[in-house]
Amino acid sequence: MAALSEAIRDGRVAMIGPIRQELLSGISNTVQFERLRSILDAFADEPITTAIYVEAARLDNLCRTRGVQCGEVDMLLCATALHYGWTILTSDAGLLRCVEVIESNRKDRRKLRE
């Protein structure tokens, strides 16, 4: 959590719509939902182009050929991060496995995580 707080303070956090939806989904308490929605309003959604969606599908296929199942949102996050040159801050073990496969296959060896 400290790394996320630091990244927010430094202006190094970006948002995409599917992540916003994922963060808000499942919050049944209206007050908590509105509180988080309000906090997330500080971050504009970065555009996701058709090329990014196509790259997400390619990355998903790559991971599947390596025996790693990744969710569509995770692959969209990875493709968007590669497109914009972002790093991914996560503790999600499944996403980290996907990132490892993608990083091991990249010719330019650009990292998705620090």
Side-chain angles (χ1 to χ4, degrees):
M1 195 60 140
L4 177 59
S5 295
E6 180 182 329
I8 291 170
R9 276 193 309 275
D10 293 346
R12 296 181 289 125
V13 173
M15 178 66 66
I16 58 174
I19 298 300
R20 181 183 308 276
Q21 179 183 355
E22 194 171 82
L23 290 170
L24 291 169
S25 291
I27 301 176
S28 58
N29 180 293
T30 305
V31 173
Q32 290 175 342
F33 180 93
E34 288 301 323
R35 182 181 306 140
L36 181 55
R37 185 197 54 75
S38 179
I39 291 167
L40 295 176
D41 281 348
F43 304 96
D45 290 345
E46 297 293 333
I48 302 174
T49 64
T50 300
I52 293 172
Y53 283 102
V54 171
E55 179 65 2
R58 190 190 70 75
L59 294 174
D60 189 49
N61 291 337
L62 168 68
C63 289
R64 286 174 190 262
T65 63
R66 303 286 168 82
V68 178
Q69 296 294 322
C70 304
E72 287 79 13
V73 172
D74 288 347
M75 290 298 86
L76 189 55
L77 174 59
C78 290
T80 305
L82 287 171
H83 176 81
Y84 286 108
W86 298 339
T87 56
I88 296 173
L89 179 62
T90 186
S91 60
D92 181 285
L95 178 54
L96 289 171
R97 280 192 300 279
C98 298
V99 166
E100 287 172 6
V101 170
I102 293 165
E103 286 180 341
S104 71
N105 192 63
R106 303 254 335 136
K107 291 180 181 155
D108 62 11
R109 296 294 184 228
R110 187 172 37 162
K111 297 290 186 186
L112 284 171
R113 59 195 161 97
E114 294 177 343

